[in-house]
Amino acid sequence: MSTPLLLRGLLVFGLIGTTLGLARAQEAPLKFGKLEAREAAALLAQPTPDSAAAEVLCDFGQSRIKGKQDGFELRFERTARLLIRRTEGYDQATVRIVLYHDKEGGREKISQLKGLTYHLTGTQLSKEPLKTEAVFSRKLDEHHDEYAFTLPNVRAGAILEFTYLLTSPFLFNLQDWRFQQDIPVRWSEYRVSIPAFYSYKELTRSYLPFAVNETGVESYQTSYQQSGDTGYGNSAFDSRNLTLSTKALTRRWVLKEAPAFRPEPYMTTPRDYVSGVDFELERIQFDSTHDPQFQVGSWAQIEAQLLKNTDFGGFLERDSPLKAAAAALVSLPDVAARAGAVRQLLLGAVVYNEVPTLYASAPPRRVLELRQGNAADLNLLLIALLRQAGLEAQPLLLSTRGHGRIQTELPVLSQFNYVVAHVAVPGGQPLLLDATDARLPAGLLPQNCLNDQGRLLGPKGGWVSLAPAASHFTYTQAKLTLASTGELSGTIRQEYAGYAAADRRQPVATLRQQWQQAHPDWQLEKADLLPAAADGSVALHLQARLPGGGAPAGTIYLRPLQALGELGNPFRSATRLYPVDFAAPPRLEQTVELTLPGGYTATGLPANIQLALPDNGGRFIFQAVPNGPDKLTLVSRLQLNKTRYSAQEYHALREFYAKALAKLAEPIVLQRQ
């Protein structure tokens, strides 16, 4: 299999100074309603990749800009053909389209919708058209509706086709395209044609190679109806028809034999990985005698826009009932201690309602009265209180892992969906603070916020790394005694630190249950939660027993690290197309002090080893050391040093885990003398 390649490009559409050849007219790869029985038989005879329940045979879309009454509109046409193999694929017969509308009455619309279901019986191909009653629409939110339709009479062996036209007055958002779906796609093609007076930024992502990726130039002409001015406003009765002629930039992409997209362990949102192309309107210029109108702003413009917003910058300027208490903390000389105290003050007054957003929902006083708020309510209030405590605090915009990675070259506010506090520390690393999760200590952002980079607002604005300030650390220390029957018993200290501690800040009964579920063969006799540590770690003290055989054995095979461990290999697939993306790097350590039964000697110990990933990517250490005639000390340490491993590094990472697990599975052999 060829090595997957991430193609990431930023192309500014424009015709000034280009040396592109004229585009040749390409035949459409699919025409609605033109399927013949012979072709249907050939399609049905061809095996489906990965034995999928359904597949996309062809998905073809094209976008153009056309003139209309007093303006222009986007016209997006899509035609697709699918094959249903088994009942599990029946849900592919329902197609859902999200349509946008604004408060001024602008609205995206669907028209020219047609659908067919084909069935091949012998050499006869029947067609059943889409019925009107199978078309539905519903409101999703203030600006979005869902338009859905279901093709009729779907069963195994059915071939489905549909086509529609989407018209949109929103030129800022040229229709995007996804080449992959959750079922295999044999052919996915997208074409755009953009007249010279519009310029778009294009962002193309793919971990799969394109069969076609072409740019060209073609002649462009459209009619445009301009209303006349009667002195009382524009009138359609006194309008004139104009014809605009220029050149248009064309783009064409084809992706062939795309496998079904399947989420893999340690990924962010699928949108970061699925092959696709997105656009953002950058500039409009109808002729060289007029200055261009720039549509995509700068990061400075985005900051100014946010700070003017009542629910962002305006929220920061308002006082709150906690102002005096925050100001009193100025006396704390240490910046980190003062910031932590301010955060603790807020955590005691408000709880998070689990709504991640960039904008406040209510004024500060109301948020405190309700004693709950969304992420922006809490973190903007935190920034204001930090400032009142005399600290240099600024908003840090970010995109959560579920929202997608930021494209730093594209200044678009919609890329962000979260804000945290950035506190400057004289002579040191800045503090990043969040007030939504009381289980985390100050200075650790929630794992969902650990998504590459954030954008700092303010005089020192710029990109800030969101690399985790701690690992996901699990440590096991056990003192065990082995009986001649093979039974192990003793004490176990289970410690969780960094990001592992957040999930373990729970009552001791819950922690005991979680440990027991992870170690079902052990019998827990006692569990105590140790006093809280200064670093925020959580420690559980256990007394436990692992039953052995019913009678003394002449030879005992023992695997204590495997029996106690929490290490598993999440990388089961032999290959991987996408990077491995840990929010926080894992670190697991085990130390076992083992007392042997009288009369037994260790005749076989696993060899000590050290494993290392390339480029200092991680280490694994295993040691088995005798301490006298009846004592053994066993140690294992696994630590990854990066949060992101490329697809090219996947094989080494997978083998690293496999070898570590194999070592923990090697037995200690004890013989009775």
Side-chain angles (χ1 to χ4, degrees), residues 22-46:
L22 288 175
R24 297 178 180 177
Q26 295 284 344
E27 194 71 27
L30 177 64
K31 293 182 179 179
F32 178 80
K34 299 299 182 181
L35 182 65
E36 301 295 335
R38 182 180 301 177
E39 184 183 1
L43 292 171
L44 289 165
Q46 187 172 348

Side-chain angles (χ1 to χ4, degrees), residues 167-186:
T167 54
S168 170
F170 307 114
L171 297 180
F172 62 82
N173 190 17
L174 187 67
Q175 181 69 42
D176 58 12
W177 186 261
R178 297 293 172 262
F179 297 92
Q180 284 178 276
Q181 299 185 33
D182 58 0
I183 57 175
V185 179
R186 290 194 193 177

Side-chain angles (χ1 to χ4, degrees), residues 98-103 139-145:
V98 177
L99 303 176
Y100 176 79
H101 58 270
D102 62 14
K103 295 180 180 179
K139 181 177 180 179
L140 295 178
D141 57 40
E142 184 181 2
H143 292 292
H144 297 90
D145 297 319

Side-chain angles (χ1 to χ4, degrees), residues 267-309:
M267 297 176 70
T268 56
T269 177
R271 189 167 55 249
D272 288 340
Y273 305 93
V274 171
S275 297
V277 58
D278 295 274
F279 304 89
E280 194 79 24
L281 180 60
E282 184 192 42
R283 189 184 73 237
I284 302 173
Q285 187 175 20
F286 284 96
D287 59 68
S288 58
T289 63
H290 293 84
D291 292 333
Q293 303 173 40
F294 289 96
Q295 306 297 309
V296 174
S298 65
W299 292 116
Q301 290 172 322
I302 285 176
E303 177 177 351
Q305 175 186 343
L306 272 176
L307 293 178
K308 289 179 182 177
N309 191 297

